[in-house]
Amino acid sequence: MRLYTHPTCLEHRPGPGNPESPARLEAVVEAISARWPNERWHHAPAATREQIMRVHRADLVALILDSRFQDADDTLHIDPDTVLGPGSADAALHAAGAGIHAVDGVLGGQARRAFCAVRPPGHHATSMQAMGFCLFNNIALAAEHAIWVHGLTRVAIVDFDVHHGNGTEAIFAADARVLYLSTHQSPLFPGTGAAGDVGIGNAINRPLAPQTGSGAFRGLWSGDLLPALAAFRPQLVLVSAGFDGHRRDPLADLQLDADDFAWLTGELLAIAERHASGHLVSMLEGGYDLKALQECAIAHVDALLEN
Ligand SMILES: [Zn+2]
């Protein structure tokens, strides 16, 4: 198991009052480092502009990478949630680079699993629009890298963040090489991800009512989503690991516990073992209660480290 992060991911500062704060990543890295002091962190290199252009349109890439700021506190609001500042371009490049290099590490045989503790998150970003705290779509960039550089033809993206990964789904809407699976609270931002929304047969969306809780969440994965994932026989399992489904999260009300994320991680690993030589790359998405985020990240990484 490889852990990836980069200190520049702390330099994206959307400002006081924005829940997607640098403190989130500090909390995750601190908790994992305290629990496993001997696990080495790999510093994620920056993605290249060419790699970013595999997913994102030139005007969005230019907005994020080439905007200029007058001073350290200057910001540019893309929307009320999504903010650029002087440190945002480097943070976004290293967050994307983490997934790309984790894919290289896993498919290159250096480790079978990886967890990328990075921010800003990515799954709301479409090819042309940064939104919902997300600048570049980190998990989509990792999937495209696996397809274009490593020649994979079946890549699964499992998204258990409490919000629907509208950007990821849209990017692969017409690409049968990628299967997108998501549970998400509904109604909730961004409002996409209806059960009838199946793409070209490569998207499985399961909206969940508020207060769904552990039993129904696990039942849905066991009875429906995990069998579909196994039937796809993924060569690589990518995970959009958002922990904002936790019962203490301030942005949602799904009423999950850290144990639920540990359980689902174990189930995903079992499918990765069966079909993908154990190859799984997980990337941090949401999670906005710092203590809950730490508990969930520990549970997730603990499952990734076992065996
Ligand atoms: Zn989320």
Side-chain angles (χ1 to χ4, degrees), residues 123-124 161-163 242 244 285-288:
H123 72 154
H124 295 306
D161 188 280
V162 80
H163 303 95
D244 36 12
E285 298 279 1
Y288 303 97

Side-chain angles (χ1 to χ4, degrees), residues 16-33:
N18 190 303
E20 205 292 285
S21 68
R24 298 179 57 245
L25 181 56
E26 282 176 337
V28 167
V29 171
E30 273 176 26
I32 293 173
S33 299

Side-chain angles (χ1 to χ4, degrees), residues 134-207:
C134 301
L135 300 180
F136 295 139
N137 194 312
N138 305 319
I139 206 81
L141 287 159
E144 287 288 7
H145 189 72
I147 291 166
W148 288 105
V149 175
H150 295 278
L152 300 196
T153 55
R154 295 187 312 280
V155 177
I157 300 177
V158 175
D159 187 334
F160 58 69
D161 188 280
V162 80
H163 303 95
H164 179 242
N166 59 296
T168 311
E169 188 190 54
I171 286 161
F172 298 110
D175 190 341
R177 295 170 298 191
V178 174
L179 176 67
Y180 177 75
L181 304 100
S182 175
T183 51
H184 41 272
Q185 185 179 318
S186 178
L188 194 67
F189 178 89
T192 49
D197 179 0
V198 298
I200 53 168
N202 66 336
I204 303 179
N205 287 298
R206 293 293 178 266

